[in-house]
Amino acid sequence: MKKNLEIFSNSPTCPIRNVFDRFGDKWSVLVLMVLGTHGGLMRFGELKEVIDDITQKMLTVTLRTLEADGLVARKYYQEIPPRVEYQLTDLGKDLVPHIENLANWASKHVDQILRSRKRFEKKVASKD
Amino acid sequence: MKKNLEIFSNSPTCPIRNVFDRFGDKWSVLVLMVLGTHGGLMRFGELKEVIDDITQKMLTVTLRTLEADGLVARKYYQEIPPRVEYQLTDLGKDLVPHIENLANWASKHVDQILRSRKRFEKKVASKD
DNA sequence: CCGTATCCGAGACGATACTG
DNA sequence: CAGTATCGTCTCGGATACGG
């Protein structure tokens, strides 16, 4: 692999593989952006309400993964009924704007992309 | 869903779902960045050589998807042996810098994230 | 050289039921 | 309220073989 492409290396610490692979799941980016947009602490149920088509299981799994990565902090209150609050860590706060950049790009160009996909479908279909 | 969070909507044209879902696969980002770093036309075999751990099948699949999205242009030469060249479209060229931003962030913080994951593993293990 | 076709395993995801 | 546990489905991606 050429020098200036070493960032793409297959090493276990390859940044792209380690970081982008996480964003690849269905919910992480969404959760990060919701926490970023909201600004402060959010309870589990609050997140569940905003991202209303996520299942309880997947919200839990996603939050655990983000917590493991040090992007989200979890605070558990020993009360009945239990209360759990989530917020971005400093690392998370640092990351979110970069994700938002990409999200803004996505917003701006999603129509073009969707149109391109349609055109491509037709092109492929016409060759059958 | 609150007004300022409409970007997260579950609609079929939701930018985040439509665009990030694509980057979520294992190879798209890598291929885009290789094409972006290289700058010009690249042959299939050349891409395969640079991203040396991708299978032929996945490189084909990934390039087709990027082509469908209008991010990569494919030029096929009717020769024997066949020659196929790929390059970023204008849309692709517009996108790549945004991805690179995120990649740079990833490079900078991957160590911290990996350390955080290790710590989290230990924390979980100690509770069993 | 640049694909396609087929098979297979792993894991992501959702639905549902249950719990402190 | 905020989780776990379990199960079934489906898609991704790798291995391999073959083709124009």
Side-chain angles (χ1 to χ4, degrees), chain B residues 26 57-58 82:
Chain B
K26 192 166 176 181
K57 173 190 161 183
M58 287 319 297

Side-chain angles (χ1 to χ4, degrees), chain A residues 65-126:
Chain A
T65 308
L66 294 173
E67 192 192 354
D69 284 6
L71 297 168
V72 161
R74 176 178 187 268
K75 186 144 174 54
Y76 177 83
Y77 298 88
Q78 289 265 355
E79 301 171 1
I80 295 177
R83 181 159 56 102
V84 182
E85 287 174 343
Y86 295 92
Q87 62 181 322
L88 294 177
T89 61
D90 288 343
L91 189 64
K93 283 178 197 152
D94 191 48
L95 168 61
V96 164
H98 296 268
I99 294 183
E100 281 172 345
N101 274 343
L102 214 50
N104 289 335
W105 188 93
S107 280
K108 202 168 152 190
H109 298 283
V110 66
D111 288 341
Q112 185 177 353
I113 289 176
L114 290 176
R115 267 185 282 114
S116 180
R117 279 179 203 168
K118 284 224 167 192
R119 240 182 299 121
F120 192 79
E121 264 179 52
K122 284 184 194 169
K123 226 177 82 179
V124 171
S126 72

Side-chain angles (χ1 to χ4, degrees), chain A residues 8-96:
Chain A
F8 308 123
S9 82
N10 195 23
S11 82
T13 59
C14 168
I16 298 189
R17 292 230 156 73
N18 273 290
V19 179
F20 278 80
D21 279 7
R22 287 294 218 234
F23 304 158
D25 70 13
K26 191 166 177 181
W27 301 108
S28 293
V29 166
L30 225 43
V31 169
L32 285 174
M33 290 195 64
V34 168
L35 283 170
T37 304
H38 182 272
L41 296 164
M42 285 184 84
R43 297 188 57 167
F44 184 89
E46 211 175 343
L47 283 162
K48 176 88 182 65
E49 198 185 356
V50 173
I51 312 171
D52 55 2
D53 55 336
I54 195 172
T55 60
Q56 201 172 28
K57 174 190 160 184
M58 288 317 297
L59 182 53
T60 302
V61 168
T62 304
L63 286 166
R64 285 297 170 285
T65 308
L66 294 173
E67 192 192 354
D69 284 6
L71 297 168
V72 161
R74 176 178 187 268
K75 186 144 174 54
Y76 177 83
Y77 298 88
Q78 289 265 355
E79 301 171 1
I80 295 177
R83 181 159 56 102
V84 182
E85 287 174 343
Y86 295 92
Q87 62 181 322
L88 294 177
T89 61
D90 288 343
L91 189 64
K93 283 178 197 152
D94 191 48
L95 168 61
V96 164

